[in-house]
Amino acid sequence: MIRYPAIMFTTMGITAPSSGVGPEQHSLLEQAIARQQEKGFKVVTGDTAWTQEFAKSAPAKKRADEFMDMMNNTDIDFIFPPWGGELLIEILEYLDFSKIQPKWVLGYSDLSLLLLAITLKTGIATAHGTNIVDLRGKTSDETTDRWLSVLKTGQGETIAQSSSKYYQKQWNHAEPSPVVFHLTEPTEWKTVSGSSETFSGRLLGGCIDVIRHLIGTPYGEVRAFRDEHIPEEPVIWYLENCEMSVADLKRSLTGMKYAGWFENCAGILFGRSGANEPVEGYTVEMMYQDLAEDLSLPIAYDIDLGHVPPQITFVNGAHAEIQVAEGKGTVIQEFR
């Protein structure tokens, strides 16, 4: 079974298990904290949130210790890192997964490696969605704003999220937006089949760039997780590509296949990407087609997920029904 964190919380802990916020960007985190305090949250901020050097907030052991301290601090209700980064994988060996209790951890990018590892090792649900720095605006768009509703969903309850109306093609820091993101491009969810698709299963996923490195480690034992926590239930993988070419993406997906990650899979969701550079004419659309035929699975892509905002909040371990039709999508998650 999957364990879902409690729905009543008032205090968030901000720690940086990957990258922290250097002095030149402290104002971004300060704005984000102020926004959450205006909404009634108490905020506890760790030392690592305010530091950044050599591609990480602090040495691995310090990052791990601060994260574990917050996970075991009963005065902190959920953990909201500032953003992702590069070297979260370094802290896994210092985490005591046997002492991790159900508590929401929310984030994406490099943080998705930690989220997936926690769920696979413990059966505790984790939330893949916005980071706190992107909540510094006066308001949030409808898609991003659902993060809190998702985290407040109780055991046995259901929550539905819909595809966005528009997405952000590129950042424009010279002209800050009241909602942070500049949502200008019409959103269109697509399927490899070209027709509507509906499928259901347990959600697992994250940023492929980083979660692929869990393969073959004690932190990426998907078969063991399934046998213990969701026996005989199919999985839906939600995946996004941050920086890889199409060839590197295909290599990574093939490695996941060889590791058994796509066994008893109901379907795959791919987020929009600013990467996916073709290699010798091999495009990402061609790669999706090859993957769908190889695995005999429905595949939807250009969904609201990852580094091209906004994004839906996906919960690792939750049961979901995915509906894609006429360019729109719905994600219905049940905490069972």
Side-chain angles (χ1 to χ4, degrees):
M1 62 178 291
I2 301 297
R3 292 182 290 165
Y4 296 92
I7 62 174
M8 298 301 293
F9 47 77
T10 59
T11 303
M12 65 174 64
I14 302 177
T15 182
S18 183
S19 286
V21 181
E24 69 282 359
Q25 295 177 308
H26 278 181
S27 62
L28 300 181
L29 183 54
E30 290 166 350
Q31 292 171 32
I33 291 172
R35 294 297 181 196
Q36 298 311 307
Q37 290 172 330
E38 290 171 2
K39 294 179 180 179
F41 286 104
K42 297 178 182 178
V43 180
V44 176
T45 309
D47 293 340
T48 63
W50 303 103
T51 57
Q52 177 71 6
E53 188 176 28
F54 304 128
K56 53 199 172 191
S57 64
K61 185 66 164 57
K62 181 175 181 179
R63 285 180 279 152
D65 287 347
E66 188 174 272
F67 177 79
M68 289 300 302
D69 287 345
M70 286 198 177
M71 287 298 288
N72 292 310
N73 184 338
T74 56
D75 293 329
I76 294 176
D77 301 303
F78 74 108
I79 294 179
F80 210 169
W83 45 30
E86 303 288 346
L87 296 173
L88 188 143
I89 196 169
E90 295 180 329
I91 77 168
L92 297 183
E93 63 182 303
Y94 300 111
L95 300 179
D96 188 343
F97 288 90
S98 68
K99 293 183 178 179
I100 290 179
Q101 299 300 312
K103 181 179 292 190
W104 284 118
V105 185
L106 173 63
Y108 78 108
S109 190
D110 200 30
L111 295 169
S112 66
L113 184 146
L114 175 63
L115 302 176
L116 184 59
I118 288 174
T119 299
L120 294 180
K121 291 286 287 184
T122 68
I124 296 172
T126 52
H128 185 283
T130 188
N131 59 52
I132 192 171
V133 168
D134 286 339
L135 296 179
R136 66 186 184 277
K138 294 180 180 179
T139 59
S140 291
D141 64 275
E142 293 179 0
T143 306
T144 304
D145 200 43
R146 296 303 304 281
W147 72 269
L148 187 55
S149 298
V150 173
L151 267 58
K152 285 188 173 181
T153 302
Q155 181 90 32
E157 295 181 347
T158 299
I159 185 165
Q161 298 172 86
S162 300
S163 54
S164 65
K165 295 182 177 68
Y166 298 93
Y167 72 92
Q168 174 176 279
K169 185 176 182 179
Q170 61 187 15
W171 288 97
N172 183 3
H173 296 292
E175 298 181 17
S177 165
V179 296
V180 180
F181 303 136
H182 296 78
L183 306 178
T184 60
E185 309 301 310
T187 295
E188 182 183 4
W189 287 26
K190 303 168 185 174
T191 63
V192 168
S193 67
S195 59
S196 61
E197 297 280 8
T198 299
F199 47 94
S200 60
R202 295 282 184 168
L203 291 169
L204 291 175
C207 178
I208 311 178
D209 307 50
V210 293
I211 67 170
R212 60 179 174 166
H213 296 297
L214 294 179
I215 293 173
T217 75
Y219 314 103
E221 296 178 343
V222 173
R223 286 192 182 111
F225 161 78
R226 293 178 53 191
D227 290 344
E228 181 176 356
H229 299 288
I230 55 168
E232 300 182 6
E233 293 193 60
V235 168
I236 295 172
W237 284 96
Y238 65 90
L239 303 166
E240 61 110 359
N241 174 20
C242 178
E243 298 175 335
M244 294 185 291
S245 70
V246 172
D248 198 4
L249 176 61
K250 185 61 163 63
R251 284 192 294 268
S252 302
L253 290 162
T254 303
M256 293 168 70
K257 171 189 169 183
Y258 291 162
W261 284 24
F262 295 133
E263 293 174 357
N264 197 14
C265 181
I268 306 176
L269 305 171
F270 286 97
R272 292 181 294 263
S273 176
N276 288 338
E277 288 298 317
V279 176
E280 297 182 2
Y282 189 47
T283 67
V284 73
E285 290 82 10
M286 294 168 67
M287 193 281 297
Y288 292 149
Q289 181 71 48
D290 287 347
L291 190 67
E293 293 175 358
D294 182 27
L295 300 177
S296 299
L297 291 174
I299 290 178
Y301 61 99
D302 286 356
I303 75 164
D304 296 294
L305 167 68
H307 288 78
V308 182
Q311 60 179 313
I312 281 171
T313 301
F314 288 89
V315 173
N316 287 317
H319 184 274
E321 180 176 293
I322 308 299
Q323 303 169 357
V324 183
E326 298 181 348
K328 303 300 180 183
T330 302
V331 178
I332 304 170
Q333 297 181 86
E334 181 180 0
F335 288 7
R336 72 184 195 197

